[in-house]
C-alpha cells in the first residue's frame, strides 16, 4: 500500500517523479524518497512525512540531476516511518536502488542469510533484503541479478530497480501488487496506478503477476519469470487528467461526493438498452443461475457495507439467500462454499489483499466469482470469472464515496437482471424497477442539494467524542457506512447499531447530549425506529434524523433533520448515504482534519 513511480527518458527525472508521487500520495504518505542515476552514481533523497517535504528538500527535484529514476511514497508496515526506513533502499556498494510496494514474507530468513554473508542493513524494512540480494547476484548482468533475487522472494511485490552502471535502464517486477507501465515517445514510465501516468501518456501495459520488464527511453521489453520474452499488450487509459484532479473543490472527497449522480449514471447507462438490462460481461445462462443456491458477497470496509446494503434487494428480488462476509474473515473460515455458490467480490481498487485471497479461496472450492471493481485491469478484475466495472472514474480521496454508490448501482442492476432471468419479475414490475433505477442519478442530485444546512449541523455536532448511528434493515446497512465515514475522516468514535439492539446493552451509553443519528428511510419499519428514538431521547440523546422530505412524524420527534427525496425502498441506501457522506465531510472540516488523507489510512490496502 505504497506508491511507486519510475521514469527514464530525456528530461530530468526528479521533478517528474515528484509529480507522479503526488498523484499516488493517497496510497500512503508517511515518508517518501527518490533515487536518480547519473554519471555512474545513484543520488538519493528521502524524508519523513509528505511529498511536499521531499519537494522542498530537493528544490522541486532540481537538486537531483539525472534522467532515470525511481520514487516511492510509503505507508509503513515494517519499521517506523523514518528517513532511514523510507524507500528507495540502496545496496552496500551503492550500485543499486530499489522501491517496493507489498510485503516480503520471508524477509527475516533472507536478512539473516545476508547478514551472515556480511551485508549491512541500515533500515528495519522488509524491502532492504531485495537490494542486497540484487547486489549478491550481480555478475555484470543487471537483469539476471534482478531475476535471481526475485526468485528468492515470497510475498507480494511491485519493484522498481535502478543500477548505477546502466543509467538508462529500469527493471520492474510484479507479483501480487499493482504495476503499470506507461509507454511514451523517447521516454517510458512505471507506476502503481494510472493516475500517475495520465499526464504523460495514455498508452499502458498492465504487467501480470510473475512478469518482469526492462525499460529504457526507447524500449520496453516484458519477460516471464524464466526470462522468456512475452508479447506486450498496450491498452488505452480512458481516464482523463481532470478526473484525477480536484477541479476547484477544496478536497477530492467533496469533488467525488458531488460526482456521484454522474458516476452512477455512467455506471448504469451503458447497461440499459431498449428497456432491458444488458450485462455483456456476465455471460451466465438462466439455467446456470437456477443452479445457484447461495450468493456470498465478500469485501472489506465500505465495499463490504455496500454488500450489506444490497443483500436486501438481491434477496427480495431473486429469492436466493445472500451471505455477506468480511474478506479478512472469509479467507480463513474454512467456508461452506461449492460450485453452487455464486461469489460476488466488491472492490473499488481491485487490489485489496484480503479480498483477493478470499476470492481465490472460494474459487478453489468451486465457486464462480463475479467481481464488481472500479480499476480496469486490476488483480480482482482479472482473477474473477466475470467482471462488471463501476464506471466511477478515479477515486483519489482515501475515504470512498462514489466507489460505494456505484458498487450499489451494479448490485441493483445485477439483482433485477437475475430476478428477471429467474422468472421472478413480470414485465410490468421489471419495467417499473428499471424506471426507478434510471431515476437514481436525479435523486442523488436532489439529495446533494436538499440539505444546505449541513455545514451548520456539523458546527453543532463536531465537538463530540462519540456518535451512534441507528437504523433497521436497509437503514441499518446505511448506518454502518455512515458511521465508518464519520470515524475515518473526522476521528470521532462512531458506532452503528441495529436500532432494535440498543436496549440489549448499548443504551447504557446514552447520556445527556449524546448524538444519535437515526436513519428512518425504510418506512415499512420506521414506526419501530421511532420508538427507539423516543427511548434515547428519554435518556437525553440529541437526535439527528434522516428521513424522506415529507415525513412529518419524524420531524416532531427529532432535534434536527436531514432530508432525502423519496426513493424506491430497496434502492434507498444509494441516496440515503449521500447526506451522511456530506455530514462526515463537514464535521471533519470543522475539526481541521486532513480529509483526503486521514491518519493511519491508505487508499489501497494491498497488504494483509
Ligand atoms: C472506507 C474505505 C475502505 C475501503 C476498503 C476496501 O472509506 O475506502 O473501507 O472500502 O479498504 O477497498 P477496496 O474497495 O479498494 O477493496
Amino acid at each position: 500500500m505504497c506508491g511507486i513511480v519510475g521514469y527514464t527518458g530525456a528530461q530530468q527525472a526528479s521533478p517528474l517523479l515528484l509529480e507522479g508521487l503526488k498523484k499516488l500520495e493517497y496510497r500512503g504518505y508517511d515518508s517518501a524518497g527518490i533515487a536518480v542515476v547519473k554519471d555512474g552514481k545513484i543520488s538519493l533523497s528521502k524524508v519523513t512525512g509528505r511529498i511536499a517535504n521531499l519537494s522542498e528538500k530537493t528544490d522541486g527535484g532540481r537538486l537531483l540531476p539525472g534522467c532515470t529514476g525511481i520514487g516511492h511514497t510509503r505507508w509503513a508496515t515494517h519499521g517506523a516511518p523514518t528517513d532511514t526506513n523510507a524507500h528507495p533502499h540502496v545496496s552496500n556498494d551503492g550500485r543499486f536502488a530499489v522501491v517496493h510496494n507489498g510485503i516480503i514474507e520471508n524477509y527475516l530468513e533472507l536478512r539473516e542469510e545476508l547478514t551472515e554473508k556480511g551485508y549491512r542493513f541500515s533500515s528495519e524494512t522488509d524491502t532492504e533484503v531485495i537490494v542486497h540480494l540484487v547486489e549478491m547476484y550481480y555478475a555484470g548482468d543487471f537483469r539476471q541479478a534482478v531475476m535471481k533475487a526475485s526468485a528468492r522472494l515470497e510475498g507480494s511485490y511491485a519493484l522498481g530497480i535502478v543500477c548505477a552502471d546502466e543509467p538508462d535502464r529500469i527493471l520492474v517486477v510484479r507479483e501480487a501488487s499493482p504495476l503499470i507501465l506507461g509507454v511514451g515517445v523517447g521516454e517510458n514510465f512505471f507506476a502503481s496506478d494510472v493516475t500517475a501516468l495520465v499526464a504523460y501518456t495514455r498508452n499502458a501495459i498492465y504487467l501480470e503477476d510473475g512478469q518482469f520488464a526492462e525499460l529504457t527511453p526507447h524500449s520496453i521489453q516484458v519477460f516471464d519469470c524464466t526470462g522468456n520474452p512475452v508479447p506486450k499488450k498496450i491498452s488505452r487509459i480512458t481516464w482523463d487528467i481532470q478526473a484525477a484532479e480536484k477541479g476547484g473543490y477544496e478536497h477530492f472527497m467533496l469533488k467525488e461526493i458531488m460526482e456521484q449522480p454522474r458516476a452512477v449514471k455512467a455506471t448504469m447507462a451503458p447497461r440499459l438498452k431498449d428497456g432491458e438490462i444488458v450485462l455483456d460481461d456476465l455471460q451466465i445462462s438462466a439455467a446456470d443461475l437456477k443452479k445457484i443456491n447461495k450468493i456470498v458477497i465478500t469485501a472489506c470496509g465500505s465495499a463490504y457495507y455496500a454488500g450489506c446494503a444490497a443483500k436486501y434487494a438481491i434477496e427480495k428480488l431473486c429469492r436466493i439467500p445472500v451471505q455477506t462476509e468480511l474478506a479478512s474473515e472469509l479467507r480463513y473460515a474454512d467456508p461452506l462454499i461449492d460450485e453452487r455458490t455464486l461469489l460476488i467480490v466488491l472492490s473499488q481498487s481491485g487490489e485489496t489483499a484480503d479480498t483477493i485471497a478470499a476470492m481465490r479461496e472460494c474459487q478453489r472450492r468451486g465457486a464462480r466469482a463475479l467481481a464488481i471493481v472500479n480499476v480496469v485491469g486490476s488483480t480482482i478484475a482479472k482473477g474473477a470469472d466475470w467482471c462488471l466495472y463501476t464506471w466511477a472514474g478515479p477515486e483519489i480521496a482515501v475515504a470512498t464515496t462514489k466507489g460505494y454508490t456505484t458498487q450499489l448501482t451494479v448490485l441493483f442492476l445485477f439483482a433485477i437482471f437475475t430476478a428477471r432471468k429467474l422468472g421472478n419479475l413480470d414485465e410490468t414490475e421489471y419495467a417499473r424497477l428499471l424506471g426507478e433505477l434510471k431515476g437514481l442519478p436525479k435523486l442523488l442530485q436532489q439529495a446533494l442539494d436538499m440539505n444546505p444546512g449541513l455545514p451548520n449541523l456539523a458546527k453543532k455536532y463536531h465537538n463530540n467524542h462519540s456518535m451512534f448511528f441507528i437504523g433497521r434493515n436497509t437503514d441499518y446497512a446505511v448506518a454502518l457506512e455512515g458511521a465508518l465515514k464519520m470515524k475515518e475522516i473526522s476521528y470521532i468514535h462512531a458506532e452503528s447499531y441495529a436500532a432494535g439492539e440498543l436496549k440489549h446493552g448499548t443504551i447504557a451509553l446514552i447520556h445527556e447530549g449524546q448524538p444519535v443519528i437515526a436513519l428512518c428511510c425504510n418506512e415499512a419499519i420506521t414506526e419501530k425506529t421511532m420508538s427507539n428514538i423516543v427511548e434515547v431521547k428519554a435518556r437525553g440523546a440529541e437526535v439527528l434524523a434522516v428521513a424522506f422530505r415529507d415525513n412529518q412524524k419524524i420531524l416532531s420527534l427529532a432535534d434536527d433533520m436531514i432530508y432525502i427525496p423519496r426513493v424506491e425502498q430497496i434502492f434507498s441506501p444509494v441516496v440515503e448515504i449521500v447526506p451522511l457522506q456530506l455530514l462526515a465531510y463537514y464535521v471533519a472540516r470543522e475539526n481541521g482534519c486532513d480529509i483526503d488523507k486521514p491518519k493511519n489510512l491508505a487508499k489501497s490496502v494491498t497488504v494483509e
Side-chain angles (χ1 to χ4, degrees):
M1 28 216 252
C2 305
I4 62 174
V5 287
Y7 172 81
T8 179
Q11 304 184 57
Q12 190 184 353
S14 307
L16 295 172
L17 295 174
L18 287 169
E19 276 313 303
L21 288 177
K22 278 186 209 151
K23 297 280 182 324
L24 297 178
E25 209 173 10
Y26 70 91
R27 300 177 65 88
Y29 33 83
D30 57 43
S31 48
I34 44 182
V36 180
V37 190
K38 182 160 165 61
D39 299 334
K41 236 184 88 218
I42 292 178
S43 331
L44 191 69
S45 186
K46 309 206 271 189
V47 293
T48 308
R50 298 285 165 91
I51 309 299
N53 303 357
L54 185 62
S55 184
E56 202 181 305
K57 186 172 173 190
T58 59
D59 187 20
R62 281 175 285 277
L63 298 180
L64 291 184
C67 299
T68 296
I70 52 179
H72 189 272
T73 180
R74 180 166 187 247
W75 186 83
T77 54
H78 296 70
T82 58
D83 289 8
T84 36
N85 287 334
H87 301 211
H89 292 285
V90 178
S91 58
N92 288 167
D93 62 4
R95 191 181 263 141
F96 303 99
V98 65
V99 288
H100 166 217
N101 174 32
I103 287 192
I104 305 303
E105 285 163 7
N106 59 337
Y107 84 101
L108 279 176
E109 56 197 81
L110 290 171
R111 192 174 171 122
E112 211 175 290
E113 176 190 326
L114 288 158
T115 309
E116 269 169 27
K117 290 192 167 125
Y119 290 91
R120 281 167 289 104
F121 280 78
S122 48
S123 77
E124 301 154 283
T125 63
D126 53 334
T127 302
E128 201 182 338
V129 296
I130 303 168
V131 79
H132 299 318
L133 282 173
V134 175
E135 180 184 336
M136 184 171 91
Y137 287 119
Y138 186 65
D141 186 333
F142 181 24
R143 192 191 332 150
Q144 277 301 321
V146 170
M147 285 186 54
K148 283 187 181 157
S150 306
R152 301 288 313 279
L153 304 177
E154 287 167 22
S156 58
Y157 46 89
L159 307 177
I161 310 174
V162 288
C163 173
D165 299 344
E166 310 209 24
D168 283 352
R169 199 169 298 267
I170 305 179
L171 276 166
V172 300
V173 189
R174 178 194 155 128
E175 180 61 48
S177 269
L179 187 64
I180 299 146
L181 311 181
V183 186
V185 178
E187 55 185 7
N188 286 310
F189 308 78
F190 76 84
S192 310
D193 182 323
V194 292
T195 50
L197 302 175
V198 279
Y200 310 108
T201 178
R202 280 163 188 281
N203 293 328
I205 299 172
Y206 294 85
L207 282 194
E208 304 278 341
D209 281 348
Q211 289 184 338
F212 294 72
E214 197 171 290
L215 280 68
T216 70
H218 300 286
S219 67
I220 293 183
Q221 287 175 281
V222 181
F223 305 93
D224 67 14
C225 59
T226 56
N228 291 320
V230 171
K232 291 174 298 201
K233 189 169 162 259
I234 299 182
S235 314
R236 275 302 276 175
I237 301 171
T238 50
W239 289 356
D240 59 17
I241 303 173
Q242 273 170 344
E245 286 175 353
K246 277 190 216 153
Y249 287 97
E250 199 178 334
H251 295 98
F252 277 112
M253 183 175 177
L254 187 58
K255 174 183 175 242
E256 289 161 7
I257 290 173
M258 296 301 179
E259 278 173 357
Q260 290 179 109
R262 202 156 25 101
V264 164
K265 194 168 179 186
T267 300
M268 197 155 51
R271 287 151 175 158
L272 296 177
K273 290 180 197 149
D274 305 325
E276 295 284 338
I277 296 179
V278 181
L279 301 180
D280 283 334
D281 300 319
L282 177 60
Q283 290 303 330
I284 186 163
S285 65
D288 277 349
L289 279 173
K290 284 194 176 123
K291 286 187 200 140
I292 293 166
N293 64 2
K294 173 166 80 170
I295 294 175
V296 173
I297 302 183
T298 196
C300 299
S302 295
Y304 169 73
Y305 294 147
C308 295
K311 168 185 160 89
Y312 298 97
I314 302 173
E315 286 192 336
K316 182 165 182 185
L317 299 177
C318 304
R319 309 313 295 163
I320 301 175
V322 176
Q323 200 178 312
T324 49
E325 296 282 355
L326 289 164
S328 53
E329 290 292 316
L330 182 65
R331 63 183 292 190
Y332 298 119
D334 190 9
L336 295 172
I337 276 172
D338 58 26
E339 49 292 331
R340 297 195 65 189
T341 310
L342 173 69
L343 183 76
I344 300 184
V345 185
L346 303 175
S347 178
Q348 188 283 129
S349 63
E351 299 293 350
T352 302
D354 281 321
T355 311
I356 296 169
M359 175 175 84
R360 289 182 179 152
E361 180 56 28
C362 295
Q363 285 174 315
R364 201 178 62 76
R365 288 167 190 254
R368 285 199 290 170
L370 163 63
I372 298 176
V373 170
N374 194 38
V375 178
V376 173
S378 55
T379 305
I380 293 176
K382 287 200 284 196
D385 298 85
W386 306 281
C387 179
L388 295 172
Y389 285 110
T390 51
W391 299 115
E395 196 180 56
I396 310 288
V398 164
T400 185
T401 51
K402 59 179 182 171
Y404 172 89
T405 42
T406 53
Q407 281 162 358
L408 277 177
T409 305
V410 176
L411 287 163
F412 294 151
L413 282 164
F414 165 82
I416 304 172
F417 169 88
T418 305
R420 178 74 175 147
K421 286 229 168 194
L422 292 174
N424 297 356
L425 288 179
D426 64 25
E427 198 73 46
T428 322
E429 183 60 359
Y430 180 63
R432 189 188 74 78
L433 285 173
L434 286 194
E436 297 289 345
L437 204 61
K438 271 194 198 153
L440 286 179
K442 206 164 141 207
L443 296 181
L444 280 162
Q445 190 57 53
Q446 289 173 12
L448 285 169
D449 299 338
M450 211 174 241
N451 298 285
L454 275 170
N456 284 335
L457 283 177
K459 282 192 184 13
K460 173 172 172 186
Y461 286 96
H462 80 102
N463 235 339
N464 281 285
H465 292 297
S466 84
M467 291 184 184
F468 289 99
F469 285 68
I470 63 166
R472 290 167 183 261
N473 195 270
T474 42
D475 285 331
Y476 170 50
V478 179
L480 294 164
E481 173 61 2
L484 179 60
K485 285 283 96 60
M486 184 60 77
K487 60 191 148 196
E488 69 181 330
I489 60 165
S490 76
Y491 314 146
I492 293 175
H493 171 245
E495 288 241 24
S496 42
Y497 268 92
E501 273 292 295
L502 281 173
K503 59 175 110 28
H504 297 288
T506 318
I507 202 158
L509 294 169
I510 303 295
H511 56 77
E512 199 59 41
Q514 168 68 56
V516 173
I517 323 293
L519 280 69
C520 307
C521 301
N522 190 330
E523 290 195 328
I525 43 168
T526 323
E527 296 283 336
K528 304 287 173 197
T529 310
M530 282 166 68
S531 311
N532 303 121
I533 294 180
V534 174
E535 285 160 14
V536 292
K537 278 217 64 74
R539 285 151 184 92
E542 195 75 15
V543 173
L544 168 56
V546 184
F548 294 140
R549 180 165 220 148
D550 51 6
N551 190 330
Q552 296 300 325
K553 282 196 211 154
I554 314 265
L555 183 61
S556 62
L557 276 184
D559 297 284
D560 294 296
M561 290 297 300
I562 289 177
Y563 294 110
I564 64 162
R566 197 159 274 283
V567 47
E568 167 73 26
Q569 196 269 310
I570 50 173
F571 303 149
S572 70
V574 83
V575 179
E576 200 174 341
I577 193 60
V578 167
L580 296 179
Q581 295 166 340
L582 285 169
L583 180 69
Y585 173 82
Y586 289 121
V587 167
R589 207 177 62 169
E590 279 303 315
N591 288 354
C593 300
D594 191 347
I595 294 179
D596 284 337
K597 301 188 188 85
K599 66 176 153 74
N600 305 336
L601 292 178
K603 181 76 182 157
S604 178
V605 188
T606 54
V607 294
E608 187 174 351

